Amino acid sequence: RKEVEQDPGPFNVPEGATVAFNCTYSNSASQSFFWYRQDCRKEPKLLMSVYSSGNEDGRFTAQLNRASQYISLLIRDSKLSDSATYLCVVNKGSGDSNYQLIWGAGTKLIIKP
Amino acid sequence: NAGVTQTPKFRVLKTGQSMTLLCAQDMNHEYMYWYRQDPGMGLRLIHYSVGEGTTAKGEVPDGYNVSRLKKQNFLLGLESAAPSQTSVYFCASSSGGGPYNEQFFGPGTRLTVL
């Protein structure tokens, strides 16, 4: 089983629709969770961190479910510019491994006009 | 403020050749990382550094060496390149080792080993 699993997609979604991705992780010791965005042939960039209580940033909402070990990303009113690959990222654990990140392979999103 | 830069952007090597990838950051970050990204897989950590003069192995260190002689630079070396090392290499840096320290990435180096 992969440490971080994501549906690779692609998700083909019409502009203006709402789309949601889930990601599962295997290490119960993980303490920090992120969504990064990666455009084609570019570097990953932080989209948002995911906090225990859930958090929202504009059209984006992230949720964490520790009991089931998954995190989710919801994008409302999707824009053409949201087309990208979304990477689920989890820290390796506590102590010395705190800052080491485990990366999912990503979910590809294509927004169509 | 350039952030994280990587040189070269592209390189083609023959099996057995050696090369060094250079990463530089101007954000005064303590932590630096080298990753590789292969199709269908998440980024995998090769080596990392928690400060000048220190390095440590990540998930896939075999066939690579690193050095962090200056705080702002992190070098990744391939002593004898193999086709399995064909990949996109990303360097990243972060200010600290806390759980929510954002990692900032360079633009990547696309390496092909023939």
Side-chain angles (χ1 to χ4, degrees), chain A residues 2-3 31-34 36 38 40-46 49-52 66 87 91 96 98-105, chain B residues 10 31 33 35 37 40-45 48 50 57-59 90 96-108 110:
Chain A
K2 290 182 180 178
E3 291 183 86
Q31 298 178 332
S32 50
F33 311 88
F34 310 88
Y36 274 72
Q38 186 173 27
C40 188
R41 302 179 74 84
K42 299 286 189 180
E43 72 272 22
K45 292 183 179 178
L46 181 66
S49 303
V50 186
Y51 302 114
S52 295
R66 285 190 185 272
L87 308 175
N91 87 319
D96 290 345
N98 206 10
Y99 46 84
Q100 293 186 46
L101 302 178
I102 306 298
W103 296 73
Chain B
F10 303 93
Y31 290 64
Y33 315 83
Y35 292 94
Q37 186 175 35
M41 301 183 72
L43 275 72
R44 291 182 292 168
L45 184 64
Y48 63 97
V50 301
K57 294 180 179 180
E59 181 186 354
F90 287 104
Y100 278 102
N101 272 283
E102 178 181 356
Q103 292 189 13
F104 295 83
F105 283 80
R110 295 184 177 276

Side-chain angles (χ1 to χ4, degrees), chain B residues 3-8 20-27 29 31-35 66-77 89-94 104-109:
Chain B
V4 181
T5 58
Q6 292 182 233
T7 53
T20 301
L21 284 67
L22 172 64
C23 175
Q25 52 94 5
D26 62 3
M27 296 175 282
H29 284 170
Y31 290 64
M32 296 187 75
Y33 315 83
W34 275 108
Y35 292 94
V66 287
S67 64
R68 182 101 182 266
L69 299 179
K70 293 183 179 180
K71 185 177 183 178
Q72 62 269 33
N73 295 337
F74 195 27
L75 278 63
L76 178 71
Y89 291 86
F90 287 104
C91 175
S93 70
S94 65
F104 295 83
F105 283 80
T109 295

Side-chain angles (χ1 to χ4, degrees), chain A residues 2 4 9 17 21-22 25 36 44 49 53-54 58 62-63 75 81 83-84 93 95 113:
Chain A
K2 290 182 180 178
V4 177
F21 312 132
N22 281 340
Y25 62 95
Y36 274 72
S49 303
S53 56
Q63 295 283 348
I75 306 175
S81 57
S83 296

Side-chain angles (χ1 to χ4, degrees), chain A residues 43 47 51 62 70 72-73 76 83 86:
Chain A
E43 72 272 22
L47 177 66
Y51 302 114
Y70 77 83
S72 63
L73 177 67
R76 290 181 299 278
S83 296
Y86 290 84

